[in-house]
Amino acid sequence: GHLRHVESMATLPSGAGKISHLNAVILGESLASEEDDLVFPSQEFTSQALVSSPEQYMSMYKRSIEDPAGFWSDIASKFYWEVKWGEKVFSENMDIRKGTVNIEWFKGGRTNICYNALDRHIQAGNGGQIAIYWEGNEPGQDGNLTYSQLLEKVCQLANYLRDIGVRKGDAVAIYLPMLAELPIAMLACARIGAVHSVVFAGFSAESLAQRIIDCKPKVIITCNAVRRGSKIIYLKDIVDSALVESSKNGTSVDVCLTCENQSAMNRESTKWQEGRDFWWQDIIPKYSTVSTIEWVDAEDPLFLLYTSGSTGKPKGVLHTTGGYMIYTATTFKYAFDYKPTDIYWCTADCGWITGHSYVTYGPLLNGATVVVYEGAPNYPDSGRCWDIVDKYKVTIFYTAPTLIRSLMRDGDEFVTRYSRKSLRVLGSVGEPINPSAWRWFYNVIGGARSPISDTWWQTETGGFMITPLPGAWPQKPGSATFPFFGVQPVIVDEKGTEIEGECSGYLCVKNSWPGAFRTLYGDHERYETTYFKPFPGYYFTGDGCSRDKDGYHWLTGRVDDVINVSGHRIGTAEVESALVSHPKCAEAAVVGVEHEVKGQGLYAFVTLVEGEPYSEELRKSLVLAVRNQIGAFAAPDKVHWAPGLPKTRSGKIMRRILRKIASRQLDELGDTSTLADPGVVEQLIALNDC
Ligand code: WTA
């Protein structure tokens, strides 16, 4: 009876994959040797889990697909709305052939995400609970804020921003490291309806300037310097040059609010521009700790976050308020099986989407206690993460495969030295996690006790799209498993035809979900062209994916010109344009190669201007050009001198061939006869190790 019940559930709308086979597996019917890689959650875990069986998942999933309006409005009703949304819970057009792409959720509803993340919990009597444990780069340096204290700090900054004229809809740039001031700044913007644009503090002055020019903020919030590991980074200097650069371009920013980060640098040594620069510590504490809330429409913008695409210009991904709020809160709750007793730590920086959705908004909307760590994960040594886990009794630990691989390389002793017994759920994000890293994470870090939520999602999606619900599914190391509620992933072939069953192809999504981005800032056309034109009728993710016979999803990486380095998305075009800006570089082509720790590394083929000799010095200065224009995280791992690049007769660079040369798969070069000059390939191979 049990089995039959599950199978009837399995006739889901297409997109859910074929799950029926899986049910047999779960019920122990076909545990053949090929399925030995299934990892089941323990009885102990399942018995307390929010979603504790495939059947429960399936009935919830089924409802979310058949009745999205009902499913999501039931959840949304648990949040605070000053005015409830209008008649329609959502409206969408994802089909470019039917006109302009448009997605709206909870339109007409008026709410505030800061109110829902802070005030709501305080009103429920939880103001004394810790919202943020802040851990500094140096062991022993720490602090914490209760929900009430966090709200007071947010209100003070909100009042200041209002006082200097920041209004609803205005952009505010934030260039901060992982100080508590970073989530505070985000929440203060949200409170007054301003649109935050956080720029990861590892981006260079030029990248920061580019983003400032695009969104024209009234104010930028930064700090003078930060310690990361043993290095000091002078952020204020970077902001200073970015502001010089942007004002040359006609965008001047009137105010630079600067946090004094004494552990890195005192104010006396900080360069200062009177009239523009203000110390946070001198001004903000003078403001009132209460502030009114700007009620905004669910579809009013919440933030902009720039991400890389296949052209040189970064895309300003725009998220709105209501749908994003409901989606990040709900995905956080279910994918991490969140309980009020949890202590949660996500190692991501708020400069990326993971930090937006799963350091700040998702957890705080659930009233969670969050660890915010300023420093490097391997400082002062490779045991630091577990030191922090033990110190705060972290129960949910969410990180990226690149960190797992690098710690794995450093050896188990750094892990086993610590107890880690508080851990109960682990999470992974940013790139496919290879099964060996998965197993090490599971066995060594988690002591084979804690399920891993391998969450597949994107800046664009706002929140998790394909992810295990830790108590519901047996896992397969390396698979992100099944779609989250309301999400209908489909795999399509070259022609955009949906393929069913066991298959592999391009990953698309049918129908909207509340956390979807609504546009690219100032360029709705690019939004449509990039995401909705390639496979009409669907949102195209840019990722390849295969589905196995049990319906599990396996992400296979980007299929466009985006490279995923340590979980950071880098457009090849951006790196190429940085290289070409070097006066001695005539042409450049960048491809991704497998990298033991970073997942993918950047491999640059560079053609120098006529007559320029190769030298180590020149190689360094080319890499420096990339560091200066984008940031250190985008520095190529390898520069390969190229007398010429393999091009088709129409002048298109054949990256397929370059990828093979870069990964030394010389016997797999394929057909080179269509090249304008097939001899180029021989030359490149000859110069392999120069
Ligand atoms: C990749 C980060 C496999 C993917 C949240 C996606 C993943 C890109 C996973 C988005 C995962 C992210 N398994 N691949 N669990 N998570 N990716 O916008 O290629 O920085 O398209 O968002 O990262 O990167 P983004």
Side-chain angles (χ1 to χ4, degrees):
H2 191 48
L3 177 64
R4 223 165 299 124
H5 172 67
V6 178
E7 276 190 334
S8 67
M9 291 290 197
T11 44
L12 291 169
S14 75
K18 289 273 176 281
I19 313 191
S20 51
H21 184 87
L22 173 72
N23 298 310
V25 172
I26 292 163
L27 298 166
E29 303 222 329
S30 67
L31 270 179
S33 57
E34 63 202 283
E35 267 120 17
D36 280 345
D37 59 351
L38 278 175
V39 179
F40 288 79
S42 67
Q43 191 73 54
E44 194 191 340
F45 191 91
T46 348
S47 64
Q48 58 80 62
L50 292 173
V51 180
S52 58
S53 66
E55 297 92 314
Q56 195 188 347
Y57 161 83
M58 294 225 280
S59 71
M60 290 175 80
Y61 181 75
K62 192 163 185 264
R63 172 161 191 239
S64 75
I65 300 303
E66 288 173 356
D67 176 22
F71 181 88
W72 288 111
S73 61
D74 282 357
I75 293 175
S77 306
K78 310 223 164 70
F79 289 74
Y80 181 81
W81 298 82
E82 179 72 2
V83 177
K84 210 190 153 195
W85 52 92
E87 256 162 65
K88 276 197 190 152
V89 176
F90 73 101
S91 76
E92 68 182 29
N93 173 36
M94 307 255 293
D95 190 341
I96 187 125
R97 295 163 301 194
K98 296 185 183 150
T100 186
V101 175
N102 178 51
I103 298 169
E104 286 176 348
W105 281 82
F106 310 111
K107 177 91 179 157
R110 297 188 80 71
T111 188
N112 184 290
I113 196 170
C114 174
Y115 182 88
N116 275 287
L118 303 180
D119 310 54
R120 191 167 54 103
H121 307 309
I122 296 164
Q123 257 142 49
N126 295 328
Q129 191 194 318
I130 301 290
I132 293 179
Y133 280 121
W134 180 78
E135 171 81 6
N137 185 61
E138 304 302 320
Q141 194 187 31
D142 55 26
N144 59 60
L145 292 170
T146 63
Y147 268 87
S148 299
Q149 290 166 333
L150 177 58
L151 176 62
E152 288 179 2
K153 294 204 177 286
V154 167
C155 286
Q156 288 181 316
L157 182 62
N159 287 329
Y160 164 76
L161 291 173
R162 273 202 184 110
D163 195 27
I164 62 168
V166 178
R167 295 286 172 267
K168 182 179 166 210
D170 290 342
V172 171
I174 302 174
Y175 187 72
L176 279 170
M178 289 295 276
L179 302 172
E181 281 77 3
L182 177 43
I184 289 171
M186 294 163 74
L187 290 160
C189 290
R191 193 169 190 84
I192 65 170
V195 181
H196 57 72
S197 171
V198 181
V199 179
F200 171 59
F203 274 110
S204 68
E206 290 208 27
S207 289
L208 176 58
Q210 192 177 25
R211 286 155 176 75
I212 289 172
I213 292 162
D214 195 67
C215 75
K216 311 208 168 4
K218 287 214 160 154
V219 39
I220 180 162
I221 304 177
T222 189
C223 76
N224 52 354
V226 66
R227 266 178 205 279
R228 234 186 114 71
S230 49
K231 274 187 285 200
I232 298 187
I233 304 152
Y234 298 96
L235 297 183
K236 175 69 164 52
D237 288 350
I238 298 173
V239 172
D240 286 348
S241 357
L243 293 183
V244 169
E245 191 64 33
S246 69
S247 71
K248 275 196 222 147
N249 226 284
T251 303
S252 60
V253 180
D254 303 333
V255 175
C256 175
L257 181 67
T258 310
C259 198
E260 181 184 13
N261 190 8
Q262 275 183 349
S263 64
M265 184 189 204
N266 59 28
R267 61 171 70 189
E268 287 70 37
S269 354
T270 307
K271 284 196 217 89
W272 208 244
Q273 187 174 315
E274 283 305 330
R276 185 197 69 186
D277 302 346
F278 300 90
W279 289 111
W280 177 308
Q281 283 86 343
D282 290 357
I283 295 186
I284 308 306
K286 293 185 184 146
Y287 281 85
S288 162
T289 54
V290 291
S291 95
T292 53
I293 295 141
E294 183 82 35
W295 300 109
V296 300
D297 192 280
E299 282 302 334
D300 279 334
L302 174 62
F303 68 85
L304 272 176
L305 182 59
Y306 290 86
T307 189
S308 295
S310 19
T311 66
K313 193 173 173 273
K315 305 183 279 198
V317 167
L318 185 111
H319 282 283
T320 57
T321 305
Y324 176 84
M325 170 170 88
I326 302 309
Y327 199 70
T328 53
T330 311
T331 46
F332 174 82
K333 175 175 160 184
Y334 287 106
F336 294 135
D337 189 48
Y338 172 73
K339 308 285 159 51
T341 45
D342 279 314
I343 307 287
Y344 167 79
W345 180 25
C346 165
T347 62
D349 192 291
C350 287
W352 308 105
I353 191 67
T354 306
H356 280 64
S357 301
Y358 301 108
V359 173
T360 305
Y361 292 115
L364 295 180
L365 284 164
N366 280 281
T369 296
V370 182
V371 175
V372 172
Y373 174 46
E374 177 192 37
N378 54 1
Y379 177 82
D381 66 34
S382 300
R384 184 65 185 279
C385 288
W386 325 120
D387 181 38
I388 295 174
V389 164
D390 283 357
K391 176 169 172 185
Y392 298 104
K393 307 275 180 289
V394 171
T395 59
I396 307 173
F397 176 72
Y398 185 35
T399 193
T402 183
L403 178 65
I404 298 165
R405 285 189 299 262
S406 103
L407 296 178
M408 186 170 143
R409 203 184 44 177
D410 296 342
D412 294 7
E413 317 80 72
F414 287 107
V415 184
T416 50
R417 203 186 277 170
Y418 298 93
S419 145
R420 296 157 286 112
K421 73 167 190 289
S422 54
L423 290 174
R424 64 175 206 95
V425 179
L426 304 174
S428 171
V429 61
E431 53 171 313
I433 179 165
N434 46 307
S436 63
W438 194 101
R439 290 195 179 280
W440 189 79
F441 196 23
Y442 184 79
N443 291 317
V444 181
I445 306 298
R449 250 188 354 264
S450 315
I452 299 178
S453 284
D454 174 4
T455 61
W456 174 82
W457 61 297
Q458 310 178 293
T459 305
E460 292 87 341
T461 69
F464 306 151
M465 297 293 279
I466 300 182
T467 178
L469 301 187
W473 297 111
Q475 294 193 261
K476 295 190 184 188
S479 165
T481 73
F482 295 102
F484 191 73
F485 304 133
V487 175
Q488 298 191 67
V490 295
I491 298 178
V492 302
D493 64 14
E494 298 284 331
K495 296 195 205 82
T497 311
E498 266 182 55
I499 35 187
E500 302 272 339
E502 206 179 335
C503 64
S504 97
Y506 302 96
L507 181 64
C508 291
V509 185
K510 230 197 294 211
N511 300 93
S512 74
W513 60 98
F517 67 140
R518 306 300 199 245
T519 191
L520 291 179
Y521 181 67
D523 202 347
H524 199 70
E525 199 182 319
R526 188 176 179 197
Y527 171 74
E528 295 182 328
T529 319
T530 312
Y531 301 102
F532 298 92
K533 266 214 180 110
F535 300 107
Y538 305 107
Y539 163 71
F540 173 47
T541 64
D543 278 329
C545 182
S546 61
R547 198 161 41 209
D548 68 18
K549 61 184 187 335
D550 299 326
Y552 280 74
H553 292 81
W554 299 79
L555 277 299
T556 53
R558 303 287 309 191
V559 293
D560 55 5
D561 293 325
V562 171
I563 298 175
N564 197 325
V565 180
S566 301
H568 299 152
R569 262 165 81 168
I570 300 172
T572 52
E574 282 172 77
V575 182
E576 287 161 7
S577 105
L579 288 167
V580 173
S581 74
H582 191 287
K584 293 184 176 164
C585 174
E587 201 171 19
V590 173
V591 296
V593 282
E594 211 172 290
H595 188 286
E596 202 194 331
V597 172
K598 299 179 181 179
Q600 281 188 296
L602 292 169
Y603 194 111
F605 292 88
V606 172
T607 307
L608 297 176
V609 294
E610 197 65 39
E612 197 59 52
Y614 306 137
S615 73
E616 211 36 52
E617 207 187 328
L618 184 49
R619 207 192 290 262
K620 283 195 188 117
S621 84
L622 284 160
V623 173
L624 191 64
V626 180
R627 297 175 80 100
N628 289 340
Q629 288 208 12
I630 305 176
F633 63 92
D637 298 280
K638 164 94 184 173
V639 174
H640 185 137
W641 303 122
L645 293 170
K647 289 182 186 165
T648 59
R649 285 182 202 100
S650 58
K652 195 171 174 282
I653 296 175
M654 295 199 57
R655 286 170 198 278
R656 174 179 60 79
I657 294 176
L658 292 177
R659 273 186 218 112
K660 295 291 177 197
I661 297 176
S663 57
R664 311 286 187 266
Q665 293 166 299
L666 301 181
D667 46 351
E668 293 171 28
L669 289 176
D671 183 12
T672 55
S673 63
T674 54
L675 290 178
D677 173 10
V680 177
V681 175
E682 294 307 312
Q683 286 178 329
L684 280 178
I685 294 170
L687 279 165
N688 227 350
D689 291 304
C690 296

